[in-house]
């Protein structure tokens, strides 16, 4: 999703001087200095920092650039691609369905994705690897906690010809995340469910489970159950046309740790 700081607070949290909420204006200047140092060192193109206390915003400052190459200054209402912070959002959505009593945490994901009813695990013995049946089912709890062993790419795992036909589907690209995960069911798990922690693709399964259990497309579910009720008017998957000009460019570090433009999101 894309999200912004300013739109999320202006209508709900009033501004106050730092001293009004028991903070120091002088020490809060260190936040500004730190952000500027990161910008000057080419670690960040621009920043928006916010500090609130006792329900009031004591510090809100935009620094640097929303698009460094074009010289577009950052503003407090710029929109940002929030990358992996999508994970807690969709995980919260799934837990809301749990609170609705629609599933148990130890339910197998094969209840909604039957392709995962009999998963296999790659076991390494010395220099050799072999497959064996998973000791137990992959559960909703596993995908929520990144302990599923699931992966959506074969990596160094060799697939059989039949498995590769399923995964590659004649070279066609999957049109939905659900289709991608159904194809990926032929890939053996990296480890037994629940035995290790591995950050990665588990949240893709969380997102699909939200859709399968709720019967509502993910972006619409989040809008209806999370974003609208919380007043998150600037958080969405698809940026409305009238907000496109507010989207900040996306940067990543290069081999020297300095930022390079990745995506303009225009």
């Amino acid at each position: 999703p894309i999200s912004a700081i300013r739109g999320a607070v202006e209508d709900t949290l009033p501004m106050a001087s730092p001293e009004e909420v028991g903070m120091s204006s002088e020490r809060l200047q260190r936040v500004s200095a730190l952000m500027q140092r990161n910008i000057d060192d080419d670690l960040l193109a621009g920043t928006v920092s916010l500090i609130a206390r006792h329900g009031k915003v004591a510090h809100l400052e935009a620094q640097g650039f929303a698009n460094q190459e074009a010289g577009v200054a950052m503003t407090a209402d710029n929109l940002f691609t929030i990358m992996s912070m999508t994970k807690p959002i969709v995980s919260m959505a799934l837990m809301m369905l749990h609170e609705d009593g629609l599933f148990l945490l130890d339910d197998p994901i094969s209840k909604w994705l039957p392709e995962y009813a009999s998963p296999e695990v790659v076991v390494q013995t010395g220099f050799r690897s072999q497959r064996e049946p998973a000791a137990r089912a992959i559960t909703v709890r596993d995908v929520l906690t990144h302990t599923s062993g699931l992966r959506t790419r074969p990596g160094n795992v060799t697939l059989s010809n039949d498995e590769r036909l399923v995964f590659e589907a004649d070279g066609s690209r999957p049109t939905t995340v659900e289709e991608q995960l159904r194809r990926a069911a032929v890939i053996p798990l990296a480890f037994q469910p629940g035995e290790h922690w591995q950050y990665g693709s588990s949240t893709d399964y969380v997102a699909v489970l939200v859709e399968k259990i709720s019967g509502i497309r993910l972006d619409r579910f989040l809008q209806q159950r999370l974003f609208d009720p919380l007043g998150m008017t600037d958080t969405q998957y698809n940026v409305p046309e009238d907000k496109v000009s507010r989207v900040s460019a996306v940067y990543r570090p290069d081999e020297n740790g300095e930022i390079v433009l990745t995506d303009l999101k225009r």
Side-chain angles (χ1 to χ4, degrees):
I2 298 286
S3 189
I5 290 180
R6 185 167 189 161
V9 301
E10 278 192 329
D11 296 334
T12 55
L13 297 181
M15 301 293 295
S17 69
E19 283 68 28
E20 284 182 66
V21 293
M23 303 185 80
S24 166
S25 295
E26 180 181 359
R27 292 181 71 85
L28 282 178
Q29 290 176 5
R30 298 183 182 184
V31 175
S32 303
L34 173 62
M35 296 299 104
Q36 191 60 52
R37 188 160 63 248
N38 286 330
I39 294 167
D40 293 341
D41 290 344
D42 206 29
L43 300 176
L44 298 169
T47 63
V48 179
S49 54
L50 182 147
I51 298 174
R53 192 173 189 226
H54 300 319
K56 295 181 179 180
V57 177
H59 170 91
L60 176 59
E61 185 176 15
Q63 298 169 252
F65 298 95
N67 185 330
Q68 190 177 61
E69 287 71 20
V72 178
M74 184 70 75
T75 66
D77 65 347
N78 268 105
L79 294 162
F80 296 90
T81 303
I82 59 176
M83 302 292 186
S84 284
M85 287 310 296
T86 304
K87 290 179 171 66
I89 291 176
V90 297
S91 296
M92 175 65 73
L94 188 56
M95 288 306 295
M96 291 174 74
L97 293 171
H98 178 258
E99 287 189 337
D100 290 343
L102 298 180
F103 69 91
L104 299 175
L105 290 174
D106 291 325
D107 281 343
I109 66 169
S110 59
K111 187 174 180 179
W112 301 276
L113 292 168
E115 292 85 352
Y116 291 86
S118 302
E120 292 185 322
V121 181
V122 171
V123 178
Q124 194 74 32
T125 305
F127 294 103
R128 300 183 63 182
S129 62
Q130 62 184 39
R131 299 188 190 189
E132 62 182 41
R136 65 165 175 80
I138 306 160
T139 67
V140 178
R141 188 190 303 272
D142 293 327
V143 295
L144 280 166
T145 57
H146 298 276
T147 57
S148 66
L150 290 163
R151 44 191 168 184
T152 56
R153 295 289 173 188
N156 59 357
V157 175
T158 301
L159 300 181
S160 69
N161 289 336
D162 288 343
E163 290 170 338
R164 190 160 295 281
L165 284 173
V166 172
F167 181 72
E168 295 180 351
D170 295 326
S172 64
R173 297 186 63 180
T175 57
T176 65
V177 176
E178 180 180 345
E179 182 185 348
Q180 179 188 13
L181 300 190
R182 290 188 183 280
R183 292 189 192 182
V186 298
I187 303 171
L189 306 181
F191 49 81
Q192 291 286 355
E195 286 196 356
H196 300 285
W197 185 88
Q198 183 181 61
Y199 183 77
S201 58
S202 283
T203 306
D204 291 339
Y205 295 81
V206 172
V208 170
L209 289 177
V210 171
E211 293 189 330
K212 302 296 286 184
I213 295 170
S214 70
I216 304 172
R217 203 174 74 185
L218 179 64
D219 58 337
R220 293 174 181 168
F221 182 92
L222 295 177
Q223 199 70 49
Q224 295 169 15
R225 295 288 300 271
L226 275 172
F227 302 154
D228 287 346
L230 293 175
M232 298 170 68
T233 57
D234 278 335
T235 306
Q236 53 253 134
Y237 274 96
N238 301 301
V239 184
E241 188 175 352
D242 61 347
K243 295 183 180 182
V244 170
S245 62
R246 294 167 52 197
V247 179
S248 301
V250 178
Y251 295 86
R252 63 171 176 81
D254 64 13
E255 61 275 8
N256 299 315
E258 298 178 348
I259 58 171
V260 292
L261 182 65
T262 302
D263 192 352
L264 283 175
K265 291 293 179 184
R266 290 291 188 264

